[in-house]
Amino acid sequence: MIIPIFGYGEPVLRQVGAEISPDYPNLKEVIANMYDTMYNAYGVGLAAPQVGLAIRLFIIDTEPFSDSDDLSKEEQAQLKNFKQTFINAKMLKEEGEEWGFNEGCLSIPDVREDVYRNERITIEYCDENFNKKTEVFDGLIARVIQHEYDHIEGILFTDHLTILKKTLIKKKLQNIMDGKAFPDYRMKFANKKGR
């Protein structure tokens, strides 16, 4: 089921997510709805706070990045087959060179800016069956994980921008809060009733 994505300014996007247990109500359904919602909005990641749930859960499917000609065949194959659910994730390490990439966010439609992040991460998490894993990721997969991980920590990609960049996009962010954003997917806006 496709559910509305919460827009910039919604308080839940600033909450640190709570850990959940395997008996979290309707967890399988929540995860399935998040995948439906993400695919409907042509996203590569979605975190629970973006659908109004202040819990430590996010999903990723990097397949849309796999057709970029800028990538090696190996990277394309990696991205094509990377689909993962992360529950109760904990970032253990962020290392390597910082590199810039033009990021966007389903909660902040029509705003894209270069964000600098470390190239490699070590993360501990549970998959959808609550199997605990510790894995190392790099490149675009690491970046998407870092972006979604920020969401469960109450951080948005715009928080990584310089004061000048933030000033330049201030009006766009206000428009999103006021419901004056018109993406082709359902949203819930901070200062506007439904849509």
Side-chain angles (χ1 to χ4, degrees), residues 18 20 27 30-31 34 46-49 53 55-59 85-89 148 152:
I20 60 172
L27 182 59
V30 167
I31 293 169
M34 284 177 65
L46 188 68
L53 301 171
I55 58 174
R56 297 186 79 76
L57 163 65
F58 61 87
I59 59 168
T85 299
F86 293 78
I87 298 171
N88 299 337
E148 298 309 326
I152 64 170

Side-chain angles (χ1 to χ4, degrees), residues 12-17 49 149-156 159:
V12 69
L13 295 174
R14 292 303 188 180
Q15 285 180 256
V16 175
Y149 183 84
D150 274 358
H151 275 298
I152 64 170
E153 291 291 325
I155 298 166
L156 300 173
D159 298 339

Side-chain angles (χ1 to χ4, degrees), residues 75-127:
E75 283 176 304
Q76 286 177 336
Q78 248 184 334
L79 291 164
K80 190 166 190 61
N81 300 307
F82 190 81
K83 178 181 173 181
Q84 184 61 60
T85 299
F86 293 78
I87 298 171
N88 299 337
K90 186 175 169 195
M91 192 71 71
L92 302 178
K93 259 194 273 188
E94 293 177 274
E95 55 196 346
E97 292 277 315
E98 283 202 347
W99 61 291
F101 187 81
N102 197 255
E103 290 189 21
C105 178
L106 296 177
S107 293
I108 312 175
D110 303 322
V111 175
R112 298 193 67 83
E113 293 292 341
D114 287 345
V115 176
Y116 287 81
R117 298 186 188 271
N118 294 88
E119 64 187 345
R120 191 170 47 263
I121 61 166
T122 306
I123 191 167
E124 179 184 278
Y125 68 97
C126 294
D127 65 16

Side-chain angles (χ1 to χ4, degrees), residues 129-143:
N129 300 311
F130 275 81
N131 298 314
K132 200 166 194 175
K133 302 178 175 195
T134 301
E135 292 188 272
V136 176
F137 297 102
D138 59 16
L140 271 174
I141 290 173
R143 173 170 294 273

